[in-house]
Amino acid sequence: MHPLKKLLSYANNYRLDFRLATLYSVLNKFFDILPEVLIGVAVDIVVNGDKSFMAKRILGGFGITDTWHQLILLGALNVLIWGGESWFEYLLSLKWRKLAQNLQHDLRLDTYSHVQKLEMAYFENQRTGNLMSVLSEDINQMERFLNGGANQIIQVLCSSIMVSAVFFSLQPSLAVISLLPVPFILFGAFWFQKRLAPRYAEVRVAAGDVSARLNNNLLGLATIKAFATEDLESAHIAQASQAYRNANERAIAISAAITPVIRMAILAGFTATLVYGGWLVLHAELAVGAYSVLVFLTQRLLWPLTSLADVADMYQRSMSSIDRVMTLLQTPIQISYAGEPVDSSKLKGELRFKDVSFSYGDRPTIEKLNLTIAAGASIAFVGATGSGKSTLVKLLLRFYHVGEGTILLDGRPIEALDLQDLRRSIGYVAQDSFLTDGSIAENIAYGMTDASEEAIAEAARAAEATEFINKLPLGFATKIGERGQKLSGGQRQRLALARAILKNPAILILDEATSAVDNETEAAIQRSLDVVSRGRTTVIIAHRLSTVRQADCIHLMEDGQIIESGTHEELLSLDAGYAALWRLQTGQRT
């Protein structure tokens, strides 16, 4: 489907606004053309006096034939026409701009909302900067087209039709000659447009690459500085920017040729009107007034066609952008949000994995896993990187579809549950938890806008975060910067844990939550867990075995399967894989 059809289909609710904006554009062009007609009428009145066209055909019936009176009425009519043109200029500008603003606002929100619903597997093959380019620059490009380009296209079309009608009514033979270049102009514009389309698609992709590179480097600025690779990364940015410039140059090479080609065609039409029309006047086959009208109208019709170059350029850029936005908006959502409601207050928290298998592409990660986690139990998963520990959590949160088998929550398949309710029932603390550019209190209460100050403070105390919060300049009201960059890694993790505690979930998940913190923070988090894990199902993913030694049951995973299970003491007594890991981490000799 053509990008414009996709946009119109999406903007179905704005159909009336589109029609009104189009009507205002048409009426504005109608009034805009009339002054040229009045010039010819004025010339006819001055030359022919009481025998003018107006005197004989229009005003004669009212007894107005005096030349001066005709000119007065013509002046009054001119004022009305200019007033009408100005009024509809105001209305069309207001309507098109308001439509552009409303549509870009809705489209950005809908697209962002859609992106949030896509499964995590989608983002594995996407670059954040490219998505940002679509959500920002591409939607802005669509807005710019609706602000001015759409009106220009409509008015060029209307101008062609209206002027052609006047031409053929006054002098058909001259009309044919004068308007002969128009089909060639339109054909040339479309010919150039088709060749611009793939080039502007390349431009948008290159723009996305630049945005992705900039976004990646800004997020990793500390690492870039630490490794003194500023020059290297500047070279990478230069390379991406050069590719963007090269793509634009290939598009410009074609778009720059449109105007000169159109001007040559316009020159032919205008010259034909000027010379052949003058010949007709000299041979008394065309009135002077009509000749004046045709000369002015030829310029009014043909010279605006030079703007087709800019319009075609803007149009093609916009279509490339709209296509990217609509493609993103129409990306299928693989994981359904609909399902049975879940009352988190009534959940027990029992989890069962039945013959669960999962693969990232062709690489198996989990294979035929069977496991039951009793409600209220504290369970840990340990093992080497890539053994499948974190994948289990991602499947439980339904970041991914279970390839085979089923995961049950209190006996109900999680696929059958309302996705938002399911996730609200789970407290999740990741290795690198997301923090907003807000206050301490706002981050702890993230997603829980009705949380009281007392509840927020209590959650902070449970996460042993109160001590460092009270030392901050504004306490709980202190702004922590983008992604919490004003805090240390340990402080960020304590806030993330406080957020999970405030949520009071039936299931608490810690996914490598202590892998990047100091021993003091790990001990604080462990003390918090000893308290908050009571009465709720707790799942801990960890590399550090010291974090999980108090768990009710520890599962050692390898190649997507559980190879050992038991308490810390039981696994040490087995003197197998877990015991070897323990000795390695504690520095004990075999």
Side-chain angles (χ1 to χ4, degrees), residues 176-460:
V176 171
I177 297 175
S178 301
L179 299 178
L180 191 60
V182 172
F184 294 98
I185 293 172
L186 296 177
F187 174 79
F190 286 114
W191 186 88
F192 279 111
Q193 176 202 323
K194 286 183 179 180
R195 278 146 187 80
L196 278 172
R199 285 168 172 78
Y200 278 131
E202 292 176 5
V203 169
R204 298 315 313 148
V205 171
D209 289 341
V210 172
S211 180
R213 174 64 70 177
L214 289 169
N215 178 71
N216 183 71
N217 284 11
L218 289 175
L219 290 176
L221 201 55
T223 301
I224 292 172
K225 288 177 177 292
F227 282 83
T229 55
E230 290 92 340
D231 291 342
L232 175 64
E233 293 304 332
S234 292
H236 288 160
I237 296 298
Q239 184 180 13
S241 183
Q242 181 63 43
Y244 176 62
R245 183 168 70 175
N246 291 342
N248 264 304
E249 286 177 351
R250 288 190 290 271
I252 291 170
I254 292 181
S255 64
I258 301 178
T259 298
V261 171
I262 291 176
R263 279 180 176 273
M264 293 302 100
I266 290 171
L267 175 62
F270 186 73
T271 303
T273 304
L274 197 66
V275 176
Y276 181 60
W279 185 87
L280 292 175
V281 172
L282 292 175
H283 290 77
E285 295 183 25
L286 182 66
V288 174
Y291 175 64
S292 303
V293 171
L294 293 179
V295 169
F296 282 109
L297 283 181
T298 302
Q299 184 175 1
R300 170 65 70 175
L301 167 65
L302 296 180
W303 282 114
L305 292 178
T306 58
S307 66
L308 277 179
D310 294 331
V311 173
D313 188 75
M314 182 190 299
Y315 173 80
Q316 202 52 63
R317 285 179 182 269
S318 300
M319 291 306 103
S320 297
S321 294
I322 290 170
D323 190 50
R324 276 162 50 92
V325 175
M326 289 300 162
T327 298
L328 178 57
L329 185 60
Q330 293 169 1
T331 301
I333 297 175
Q334 303 293 341
I335 298 178
S336 173
Y337 273 58
E340 302 172 16
V342 178
D343 187 346
S344 58
S345 64
K346 297 180 180 180
L347 278 180
K348 297 177 181 178
E350 181 193 62
L351 296 170
R352 291 181 62 195
F353 294 80
K354 296 179 61 177
D355 295 324
V356 172
S357 297
F358 179 78
S359 299
Y360 290 105
D362 297 328
R363 178 171 57 87
T365 305
I366 305 292
E367 294 188 13
K368 295 293 182 182
L369 186 139
N370 287 279
L371 175 67
T372 297
I373 301 176
S378 177
I379 303 298
F381 293 95
V382 298
T385 300
S387 60
K389 309 182 301 297
S390 294
T391 301
L392 289 177
V393 171
K394 293 174 182 177
L395 294 178
L396 177 58
L397 285 163
R398 293 193 66 202
F399 290 166
Y400 298 89
H401 265 307
V402 174
E404 296 179 13
T406 306
I407 301 177
L408 304 173
L409 173 58
D410 286 356
R412 292 192 291 174
I414 60 173
E415 291 85 358
L417 304 179
D418 180 275
L419 185 56
Q420 295 291 61
D421 285 351
L422 170 68
R423 291 173 177 170
R424 290 189 184 101
S425 302
I426 300 173
Y428 179 59
V429 183
Q431 178 179 352
D432 184 20
S433 294
F434 171 74
L435 297 178
T436 68
D437 184 15
S439 67
I440 294 284
E442 289 169 343
N443 274 277
I444 294 177
Y446 184 70
M448 294 161 281
T449 54
D450 58 345
S452 65
E453 293 182 2
E454 293 76 13
I456 293 172
E458 181 57 37

